[in-house]
């Protein structure tokens, strides 16, 4: 793009004439498709998403009766430049959801419903929240988040009403609603006096899943699927289990999200070991800051920083387990010495034996 074109775009943006600006940006996207197709796609995605602003929630966002704070976070439109990295299985599941949603009228004409309630489970930092946003962006719908851990911290009687208000709101227009930290409901079992209220809350949630309209998507995300009531599990149309990324997926993540490290992506993916994307993200950001402040090379700062990430620490412990076992120490003694559970020690040794045999 030449400087004249840049200046005329700035003039248009400042003159607040959105229609002409959109037309010009469209032209820029078409021109860019010849020399930078990725940039062209990103411009077009922004134009499309921006055109969806009319899909803003029609009613006011529900608020907490005491604090008057919004009960849900709303993002509309959702623009994401890069797709999250997925295993083939999960990508196929998510593509199927998008296809069903986009062909909803076809399915409904035959008496079938598109997938409308999804349960995401898996360890922290592997993309549950990101995927819910990604689905909203692919479907061109506003993205609403209700953090159950936050609402659950208030007086339970009020929680039921708050959750109900959010669900009623989100059911009233097409959107994606994420119930984040879904296990928070299951976790609060500590006080018998609250049991009645809690049961009422679970009933509110079950009813919400059952009565959820076809026009919206309800996603519940949890780190602890095992804590959920089986009655809740059964109600979801689809469960998606996210895992820690494989080495290949870690390399793909670094190549996409950290293009300046593209040359080292395979080595780094191996070096980080079995950690989550957010562990890698945190380590790389820390290393990047260090490299800027100490004026040294990014790649040389990564090794030191990565050793301190929790996932990496665990990875390093794996080596210790194997070393101690080779020295003849029992699994019980290793578990005590390294402060990790016995089943974990066993799992590491089993994996190690399998690798040796292969
Ligand atoms: N599949 C992925 N592809 C690319 N980046 C990812 C992916 N998953 C996670 N990340 C990175 O990790 C960050 C945290 O991810 P996210 O919040 O989606 O994790 P989560 O599974 O919801 O974790 P939690 O259980 O802690 O809520 C993201 O902002 C992104 O930088
Ligand atoms: Mg999350």
């Amino acid at each position: 793009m030449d400087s004249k074109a840049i200046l005329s775009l700035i003039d248009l943006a400042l003159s607040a004439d959105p229609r002409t600006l959109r037309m010009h940006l469209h032209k820029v996207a078409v021109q860019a498709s010849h020399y930078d197709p990725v940039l062209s796609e990103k411009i077009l995605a922004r134009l499309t998403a921006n055109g969806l602003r009319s899909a803003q929630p029609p009613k006011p966002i529900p608020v907490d009766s005491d604090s008057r704070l919004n009960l849900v976070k709303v993002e509309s439109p959702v623009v994401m430049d890069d797709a999250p990295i997925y295993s083939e299985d999960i990508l196929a599941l998510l593509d199927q959801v998008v296809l069903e949603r986009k062909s909803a009228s076809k399915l409904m004409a035959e008496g079938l419903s598109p997938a409308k309630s999804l349960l995401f489970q898996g360890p922290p930092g592997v993309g549950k929240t990101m995927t819910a946003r990604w689905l909203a962006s692919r479907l061109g719908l506003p993205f609403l988040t209700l953090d159950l851990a936050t609402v659950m911290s208030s007086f339970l009687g009020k929680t039921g009403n708050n959750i109900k208000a959010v669900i009623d709101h989100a059911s009233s227009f097409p959107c994606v609603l994420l119930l984040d930290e879904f296990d928070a409901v299951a976790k609060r079992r500590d006080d018998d006096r609250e049991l009645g209220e809690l049961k009422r809350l679970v009933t509110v949630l079950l009813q919400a899943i059952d009565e959820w309209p076809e026009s919206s998507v309800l996603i519940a995300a949890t780190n602890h699927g095992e804590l959920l009531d089986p009655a809740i599990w059964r109600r979801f149309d689809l469960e998606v289990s996210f895992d820690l990324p494989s080495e290949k997926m870690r390399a793909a993540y670094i190549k996409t999200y950290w293009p300046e490290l593209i040359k080292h992506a395979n080595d780094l993916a191996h070096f980080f070991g079995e950690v989550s994307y957010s562990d890698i993200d945190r380590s790389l950001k820390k290393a990047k800051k260090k490299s800027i402040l100490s004026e040294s090379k990014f790649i040389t700062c990564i090794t030191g920083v990565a050793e301190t990430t929790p996932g990496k620490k665990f990875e390093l412990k794996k080596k210790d387990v194997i070393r101690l076992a080779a020295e003849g120490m029992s699994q019980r003694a290793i578990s005590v010495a390294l402060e990790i559970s016995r089943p974990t020690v066993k799992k590491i040794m089993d994996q190690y034996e399998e690798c040796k045999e292969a």
Side-chain angles (χ1 to χ4, degrees):
M1 203 165 134
D2 59 27
S3 47
K4 212 171 123 198
I6 294 175
L7 290 173
S8 79
L9 269 181
I10 293 175
D11 287 343
L12 279 168
L14 294 175
S15 72
D17 176 6
R19 271 194 55 199
T20 324
L21 180 63
R22 287 178 70 83
M23 257 168 46
H24 272 259
L25 286 172
H26 212 272
K27 262 194 220 157
V28 173
V30 172
Q31 280 167 7
S33 68
H34 302 300
Y35 60 88
D36 189 344
V38 177
L39 172 66
S40 165
E41 261 177 42
K42 286 180 180 174
I43 300 174
L44 288 173
R46 277 171 169 72
L47 284 171
T48 318
N50 212 268
L52 292 166
R53 278 200 198 278
S54 55
Q56 293 278 7
K59 289 191 209 157
I61 296 168
V63 291
D64 181 90
S65 52
D66 296 334
S67 65
R68 311 304 300 165
L69 291 173
N70 283 351
L71 288 169
V72 266
K73 245 182 20 209
V74 180
E75 188 181 354
S76 178
V78 181
V79 181
M80 284 171 79
D81 286 335
D82 294 307
I85 309 295
Y86 295 116
S87 63
E88 280 174 20
D89 295 355
I90 292 196
L91 186 60
L93 268 181
L94 297 172
D95 279 345
Q96 174 70 20
V97 172
V98 173
L99 183 67
E100 285 186 21
R101 303 288 322 173
K102 291 198 166 162
S103 322
S105 46
K106 233 188 202 167
L107 292 176
M108 281 153 79
E110 296 291 329
L112 297 165
S113 309
K116 61 187 173 96
S117 54
L118 319 175
L119 180 62
F120 288 177
Q121 67 152 343
V126 291
K128 299 180 295 297
T129 303
M130 194 180 186
T131 302
R133 267 190 86 218
W134 174 240
L135 279 178
S137 86
R138 282 188 73 182
L139 297 171
L141 295 174
F143 179 53
L144 276 63
T145 314
L146 169 67
D147 186 341
L148 281 168
T150 316
V151 276
M152 288 294 295
S153 60
S154 59
F155 168 56
L156 256 192
K158 205 172 79 177
T159 305
N161 292 340
N162 279 348
I163 294 180
K164 202 160 178 325
V166 169
I167 286 168
D168 287 347
H169 174 71
S171 317
S172 69
F173 64 100
C175 67
V176 172
L177 172 65
L178 171 66
L179 301 178
D180 219 352
E181 311 274 345
F182 195 60
D183 46 278
V185 180
K187 268 191 200 149
R188 189 150 162 181
R189 288 254 157 106
D190 44 351
D191 188 343
D192 277 353
R193 283 169 306 167
E194 289 186 328
L195 219 59
E197 275 303 332
L198 203 61
K199 274 198 183 142
R200 207 176 73 86
L201 202 64
V202 172
T203 313
V204 168
L205 285 169
L206 294 182
Q207 222 173 6
I209 308 168
D210 286 344
E211 292 169 6
W212 193 252
E214 253 84 32
S215 51
S216 291
V217 182
L218 176 70
I219 301 175
T222 173
N223 292 151
H224 300 284
E226 73 285 355
L227 289 180
L228 297 180
D229 197 322
I232 292 192
W233 271 96
R234 278 199 305 272
R235 272 164 164 98
F236 285 93
D237 292 333
L238 204 74
E239 295 152 27
V240 186
S241 287
F242 291 82
D243 259 326
L244 287 176
S246 64
E247 188 167 321
K248 201 170 137 202
M249 285 156 70
R250 294 194 296 272
Y253 165 78
I254 295 169
K255 284 177 194 162
T256 309
Y257 288 86
W258 295 86
E260 62 193 296
L261 295 170
I262 205 159
K263 271 197 316 207
H264 308 281
N266 292 338
D267 290 340
L268 286 173
H270 182 72
F271 165 76
F272 275 109
E274 267 186 56
V275 295
S276 68
Y277 294 109
S278 66
D279 278 338
I280 301 180
D281 182 65
R282 227 174 305 135
S283 291
L284 292 181
K285 279 187 183 141
K286 219 162 145 186
K288 181 81 198 177
K289 279 189 197 163
K290 205 169 155 192
S291 85
I292 293 169
L293 298 178
S294 62
E295 291 180 12
S296 41
K297 270 185 150 179
F298 187 13
I299 187 73
T300 54
C301 294
I302 294 173
T303 351
V305 163
E307 305 283 311
T308 60
T309 63
K312 181 72 189 169
K313 263 194 213 156
F314 175 76
E315 189 64 13
L316 292 174
K317 277 196 176 172
K318 261 188 183 176
K319 286 188 192 134
D320 290 335
V321 169
I322 295 162
R323 181 176 48 78
L324 293 178
E327 286 170 10
M329 207 184 235
S330 72
Q331 289 189 3
R332 180 193 295 272
I334 296 175
S335 138
V336 175
L338 297 179
E339 294 176 2
I340 44 183
S341 74
R342 249 183 100 190
T344 309
V345 173
K346 185 171 177 312
K347 199 172 132 201
I348 293 172
M349 286 314 297
D350 288 349
Q351 275 175 1
Y352 178 64
E353 294 302 329
E354 265 173 35
C355 283
K356 264 200 334 199
E357 278 163 23

